[in-house]
């Protein structure tokens, strides 16, 4: 357990003359400042809750309504149509007020009720407006008059200066598609994957389900959609993520890369110091809800912000059957490095943290199996069941329990790595492959290895040559959320904090920042055996992962848009063509689409292999004329855009089928159709996350500040 008893508020000794009290003014000053900061945070939270609670109105609008109502009383006009008089008759404190005071109090109470009613009405109007998605299906650049009016109304009722969670109460609920629509779209999606006999068999199963069992299961989903905020998200998190028993390394976690062509400083400790500072700046903005709510690019349509809530101080904990995501509070930071790296990083950190934050840094020495038990820490790269058993057996009391508490309360995890990855011009593919593997799983004993580091919400990895990256746990949020954080951090590091001419952090050292404290573990031989077994599982999994990462510079989305084609559809059709040429057949293809137009929405699947895309691929393989291929290409691209928009609008296939399957399991009924659908393998997974905050990077003047993005492990063998 990290102990920090270097400072005390006062000392006293007993003398013959009495008690000699020696006050430490510096310590008392720090105690006073800590209390002031704590109360400021409490007041800020109260203010934020009030502002968010009355949005899209503002607290100051109450004053306008109150003054208007009170003012009309002096013109002998009753805007309440007798309500103020009724309130006056039943005032509980009327005996304590004068006649004039009773009138004003009654008017203020009426004004408050009227103000709240107006807020509710505005919020319901905005929710109704946001429930309309017809604009999504109109041709780009040719908005109808109805859509223009709709956009104007959304802008009017969206209010001014929204905070991060301002729109949450105004977002509509995710609708449950009809059984008929889902069956029809499902059959269309699997037609290219089956021959006639297989398709007719599946068609019969679907029709039988639609008529018999489907309506019964659908009734329960409808009931849940009326009662719960989102009928999918809690089950999706529980059954897809938390109940998974395989290692989450490679199978679930994903990574994000640094700039491809730029390294702001080659000094590892300096880069770690600045990035830590940038992450804490983002955390402060998040705590104050100062982050602008996300909207669709170029449109005033808000997206759900609920996934931001568990970004920091969150940990995924294992269990025998299922795990959970714990979100705690604390001012701890986890650091994994050798003692020498810790000291060098601390010197840079003192300069990078140009504000007093009072964070306690917890330091973990590198751990090797069977070394001194006080220095060894258990690995979490193996399966969830062994890790859950080990957690219960060896980490439920004593120093291990105390250290584990520190781990789970920490804001995030920082690794100082001894490797030197990055793009090498002479061999770009091999160098980027190695870089990606280091971010995805490392060497399995030098990454997030102690106590299931892959369980932390995210890990910042800083390499010896100054390159960086992130590894993120998936259950608490999807990639666009961590992408938003990563964009801010990289931009703040390069364009705001910066480095001096020698590559060190700018600013003067802060002498009051506490030194890192070393966590202690008691690892008996039985636990070390579990550690070694987990390490073997993790290494086997990591060795089975192949990467092929490369920079593509011949053209980008600008050229594709000039051809009046969706860049996403272009890439998806290219992948279908490449996959068919590689395997000689079509396969079930997964592309993720967000459903954050709805409250607590996460993702939906876009089944990119369609009848139209397969027709285009066959035309290319049969060497039809360019005009015929181009015609089929545009039709396939248009179809892909349409099914992508359906997914965003809550009319997707897979989340509905998934929830129907969950209900069938709860009811104990067997569905051959659902069983077969949910067991179909996704052989091709093509998810991606676009840049969200282009304005942070000024790519026009600094085109070199681009990244390879990120990646994830394969979804099937």
């Amino acid at each position: 357990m990290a102990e920090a008893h270097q400072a005390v508020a006062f000392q006293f000794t007993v003398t013959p003359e009495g008690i000699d009290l020696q006050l430490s003014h510096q310590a008392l000053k720090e105690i006073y400042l800590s209390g002031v900061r704590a109360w400021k945070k409490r007041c800020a939270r109260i203010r934020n809750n009030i502002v968010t609670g009355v949005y899209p109105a503002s607290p100051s609008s109450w004053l306008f309504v109150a003054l208007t109502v009170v003012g009309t009383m002096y013109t002998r006009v009753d805007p309440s149509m007798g309500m103020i008089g009724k309130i006056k008759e039943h005032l509980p404190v009327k005996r304590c007020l004068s006649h004039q005071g009773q009138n004003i109090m009654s008017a203020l109470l009426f004004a408050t009720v009227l103000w709240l009613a107006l807020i509710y009405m505005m919020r319901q109007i905005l929710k109704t407006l946001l429930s309309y998605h017809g604009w999504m299906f109109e041709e780009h650049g040719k908005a109808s008059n109805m859509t223009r009016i709709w956009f104007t109304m959304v802008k009017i009722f969206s209010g001014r200066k929204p905070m991060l969670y301002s729109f949450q109460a105004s977002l509509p609920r995710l609708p449950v598609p009809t059984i008929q629509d889902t069956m029809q779209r499902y059959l269309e999606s699997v037609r290219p994957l089956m021959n006639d006999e297989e398709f007719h068999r599946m068609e019969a199963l679907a029709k039988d389900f639609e008529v018999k069992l489907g309506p019964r299961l659908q009734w329960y989903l409808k009931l849940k959609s009326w009662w719960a905020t989102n009928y999918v998200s809690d089950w999706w998190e529980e059954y897809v993520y938390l109940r998974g028993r395989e290692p989450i390394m490679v199978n679930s976690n994903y990574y994000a890369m640094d700039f491809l062509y730029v390294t702001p400083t080659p000094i590892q400790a300096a880069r770690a110091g600045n990035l830590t500072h940038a992450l804490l700046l983002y955390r402060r903005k998040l705590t104050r809800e100062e982050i602008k709510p996300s909207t669709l690019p170029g449109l005033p349509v808000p997206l759900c912000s609920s996934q931001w809530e568990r970004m920091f101080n969150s940990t995924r904990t294992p269990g025998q059957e299922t795990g959970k995501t714990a979100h705690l509070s604390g001012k701890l930071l986890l650091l994994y490095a050798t003692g020498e790296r810790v000291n060098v990083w601390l010197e840079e950190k003192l300069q990078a943290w140009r504000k007093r934050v009072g964070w306690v840094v917890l330091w973990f020495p590198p751990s090797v199996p069977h070394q001194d038990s006080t220095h060894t820490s258990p690995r979490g790269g193996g399966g969830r069941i062994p890790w859950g058993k080990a957690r219960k057996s060896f980490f439920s009391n004593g120093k291990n329990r105390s250290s584990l508490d520190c781990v789970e309360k920490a804001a995030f995890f920082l690794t100082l790595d001894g490797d030197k990855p990055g793009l090498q011009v002479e061999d770009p593919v091999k160098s980027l492959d190695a870089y990606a593997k280091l971010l995805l799983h490392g060497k399995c004993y030098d990454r997030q290895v102690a106590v299931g580091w892959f369980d932390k919400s995210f890990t910042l990895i800083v390499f010896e040559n100054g390159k960086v990256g992130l590894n993120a746990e998936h259950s608490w949020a999807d990639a666009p959320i961590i992408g938003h954080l990563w964009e801010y951090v990289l931009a703040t590091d390069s364009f705001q904090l910066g480095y001096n001419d020698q590559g060190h952090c700018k600013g003067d050292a802060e002498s009051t920042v506490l030194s890192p404290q070393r966590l202690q573990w008691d690892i008996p031989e039985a636990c070390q055996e579990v550690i070694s077994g987990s390490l073997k599982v993790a290494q086997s999994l990591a060795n089975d992962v192949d990467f092929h990462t490369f920079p593509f510079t011949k053209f980008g989305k600008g050229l594709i848009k000039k051809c009046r084609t969706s860049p996403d559809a272009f890439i998806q059709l290219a992948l279908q063509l490449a996959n068919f040429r590689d395997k000689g057949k079509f396969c079930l293809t997964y592309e993720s689409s967000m459903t954050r137009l709805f409250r607590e929405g996460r993702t939906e699947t876009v089944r990119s292999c369609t009848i139209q895309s397969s027709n285009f691929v066959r035309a290319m393989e049969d060497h039809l004329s360019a005009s015929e291929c181009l015609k089929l290409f545009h039709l396939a691209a248009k179809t892909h855009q349409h099914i992508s928009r359906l997914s965003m609008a809550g009319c997707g296939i897979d989340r509905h089928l998934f929830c129907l399957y969950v209900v069938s399991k709860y009811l104990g009924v067997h569905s051959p159709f659902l069983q077969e659908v949910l067991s179909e393998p996704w052989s091709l997974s093509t998810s991606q996350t676009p840049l969200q905050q282009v304005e942070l990077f000024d790519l026009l003047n600094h085109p070199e500040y681009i990244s390879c993005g990120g990646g994830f492990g394969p979804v099937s063998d």
Side-chain angles (χ1 to χ4, degrees), residues 685-702:
S685 185
T686 65
S687 301
Q688 45 74 38
T689 299
L691 185 66
Q692 303 169 72
Q693 303 168 88
V694 182
E695 69 280 359
L696 295 179
F697 297 96
D698 188 14
L699 293 177
L700 185 63
N701 296 316
H702 300 284

Side-chain angles (χ1 to χ4, degrees), residues 16-262:
E17 289 78 21
I19 295 178
D20 178 21
L21 193 65
Q22 299 177 347
L23 294 177
S24 169
H25 295 286
Q26 179 63 29
L28 290 175
K29 179 182 178 182
E30 290 301 320
I31 291 174
Y32 167 75
L33 292 176
S34 296
V36 170
R37 286 194 294 267
W39 278 105
K40 282 183 178 179
K41 286 182 180 179
R42 291 191 185 100
C43 293
R45 290 193 189 101
I46 293 172
R47 181 185 66 86
N48 291 344
N49 290 336
I50 293 174
V51 172
T52 301
V54 303
Y55 202 83
S58 64
S60 60
S61 62
W62 175 86
L63 184 61
F64 173 78
V65 174
L67 291 176
T68 302
V69 171
V70 172
T72 56
M73 295 174 59
Y74 294 96
T75 61
R76 295 185 179 182
V77 175
D78 185 4
S80 70
M81 294 181 290
M83 287 294 295
I84 294 177
K86 292 288 185 181
I87 295 173
K88 182 179 177 181
E89 291 177 8
H90 297 87
L91 269 180
V93 293
K94 62 186 302 182
R95 295 181 180 179
C96 304
L97 298 173
S98 64
H99 178 74
Q100 185 70 7
Q102 293 177 26
N103 289 336
I104 294 176
M105 179 62 73
S106 302
L108 290 177
L109 288 174
F110 172 77
T112 301
V113 173
L114 176 63
W115 179 64
L116 293 174
L118 290 173
I119 290 173
Y120 178 79
M121 183 181 68
M122 291 174 64
R123 189 172 287 174
Q124 291 304 115
I125 292 174
L126 181 58
K127 183 180 289 188
T128 302
L129 290 170
L130 295 178
S131 299
Y132 170 72
H133 300 112
W135 57 272
M136 213 185 287
F137 300 93
E138 295 183 353
E139 188 176 348
H140 183 68
K142 296 183 179 180
S144 64
N145 290 332
M146 180 179 178
T147 296
R148 291 192 181 97
I149 295 172
W150 177 82
F151 275 128
T152 302
M153 295 290 288
V154 169
K155 288 181 179 179
I156 291 173
F157 285 94
S158 290
R160 299 175 58 219
K161 297 180 179 180
M163 302 179 74
L164 179 60
Y165 304 117
S166 291
F167 290 111
Q168 291 302 101
S170 300
L171 292 174
R173 297 181 183 223
L174 183 68
V176 182
T178 65
I179 291 285
Q180 294 76 15
D181 286 346
T182 296
M183 293 301 103
Q184 177 189 345
R185 290 170 188 151
Y186 169 77
L187 291 173
E188 290 176 355
S189 73
V190 298
R191 187 64 186 96
L193 312 177
M194 300 178 177
N195 58 36
D196 291 344
E197 183 180 349
E198 292 170 335
F199 180 73
H200 291 320
R201 174 182 165 276
M202 181 56 73
E203 191 175 33
L205 286 175
K207 293 296 182 184
D208 181 73
F209 176 79
E210 179 182 332
V211 174
K212 295 180 179 178
L213 183 58
R216 181 186 173 193
L217 304 181
Q218 180 81 347
W219 184 87
Y220 284 95
L221 281 192
K222 281 283 188 181
L223 183 64
K224 185 185 179 186
S225 72
W226 296 333
W227 176 252
T229 308
N230 188 293
Y231 83 93
V232 175
S233 293
D234 59 336
W235 285 353
W236 184 253
E237 180 177 319
E238 172 74 14
Y239 295 106
V240 172
Y241 294 117
L242 298 179
R243 291 215 176 196
R245 301 292 83 194
E246 294 183 336
I248 60 175
M249 183 195 82
V250 174
N251 291 315
S252 181
N253 286 29
Y254 55 94
Y255 70 88
M257 279 186 168
D258 193 8
F259 297 124
L260 196 58
Y261 304 107
V262 175

Side-chain angles (χ1 to χ4, degrees), residues 151 244 296 310 336 339 353 394 447 514 595:
F151 275 128
L296 288 178
R310 297 183 291 179
Y336 177 83
W353 292 10
F394 304 112
R447 185 60 63 244
L514 296 176
T595 55

